[in-house]
Amino acid sequence: MRAAQDVFVAQGFHAAAMDDIADRAGVSKPVLYQHFPGKRELYLALLEQQVDVLTDRVREALATTEDNRMRVDGVVGAYFGFIDTEGEAFRLVFESDLRNDPDVRRVVDRSAQLCIDAVAEVIADDTGVDRERALLLASGLIGSAESSARWWLAGKGSLSREESVSLISRLMWRGISGFPRRDDGDGQ
């Protein structure tokens, strides 16, 4: 899987060849076909694996504390950590040259939805807002975390990952911390 990741990230799906993947993995091409019927199935398996990694990071960030300020920081940190991982596997999830494929689109959309659902559940529990509003707020948080992390990585300027996570988390927290809590009696 690591060999396939390296080849797909470096070359994209369309330019990658099963021969290249087999060579990088140190196996014969027939061995690859024993495990995966084709290049697309290998790509989808790798994509599913990376979606699970990101989703697990977000869920872990939410579950490790009851402090919502720390949860926001954790979710933003999960995206920055996923984007800043050796091997650049995030490119498979966020920059695939196969995004128009319905199965790839389904996996990528599932990733976003799982992360949004996890955050929305916490927002709804803490604020008492209905599910639709919680999902919209969660979508804003997740979208901001992803786009900020991708922008930071592309620039790799003078800001460290830690400082970048802190800046984005503070920006998000200032917005969401003013939102009514369930015990405020406002509920909107």
Side-chain angles (χ1 to χ4, degrees):
M1 293 296 272
R2 180 57 195 237
Q5 175 182 311
D6 291 344
V7 172
F8 285 132
V9 165
Q11 299 177 17
F13 175 81
H14 296 293
M18 290 296 269
D19 287 327
D20 296 336
I21 295 168
D23 287 346
R24 171 110 16 149
V27 299
S28 67
K29 196 162 123 180
V31 168
L32 280 182
Y33 285 113
Q34 287 175 355
H35 298 283
F36 301 97
K39 181 171 79 166
R40 185 173 172 278
E41 290 78 14
L42 174 57
Y43 187 87
L44 285 168
L46 186 57
L47 182 60
E48 290 274 1
Q49 181 184 61
Q50 293 308 312
V51 162
D52 290 344
V53 167
L54 176 58
T55 303
D56 289 347
R57 286 180 181 208
V58 169
R59 286 181 177 151
E60 182 180 319
L62 293 168
T64 57
T65 181
E66 294 290 317
D67 180 303
N68 286 331
R69 170 68 180 93
M70 297 301 295
R71 284 176 170 158
V72 169
D73 192 63
V75 169
V76 172
Y79 272 84
F80 273 77
F82 181 70
I83 296 259
D84 194 28
T85 301
E86 183 181 332
E88 298 185 337
F90 77 92
R91 295 191 189 285
L92 301 174
V93 179
F94 300 132
E95 299 174 1
S96 173
D97 61 344
L98 197 60
R99 286 188 81 138
N100 288 332
D101 179 284
D103 290 330
V104 170
R105 179 90 250 136
R106 179 187 49 77
V107 173
V108 170
D109 288 348
R110 182 179 68 83
S111 171
Q113 193 60 55
L114 289 170
C115 293
I116 290 167
D117 286 344
V119 172
E121 183 178 330
V122 171
I123 290 172
D125 287 348
D126 285 356
T127 66
V129 299
D130 62 58
R131 179 155 173 77
E132 186 175 353
R133 285 174 176 80
L135 287 168
L136 180 62
L137 292 168
S139 175
L141 289 171
I142 292 298
S144 180
E146 177 191 329
S147 65
S148 299
R150 292 177 65 198
W151 185 89
W152 169 78
L153 185 67
K156 276 290 194 176
S158 62
L159 297 178
S160 69
R161 181 167 110 190
E162 294 75 23
E163 182 180 2
S164 299
V165 168
S166 177
L167 284 169
I168 296 302
S169 296
R170 284 194 321 234
L171 174 66
M172 288 181 182
W173 181 245
R174 285 187 179 158
I176 203 164
S177 67
F179 208 81
R181 294 186 52 90
R182 178 180 295 278
D183 56 1
D184 289 343
D186 191 348
Q188 292 196 44

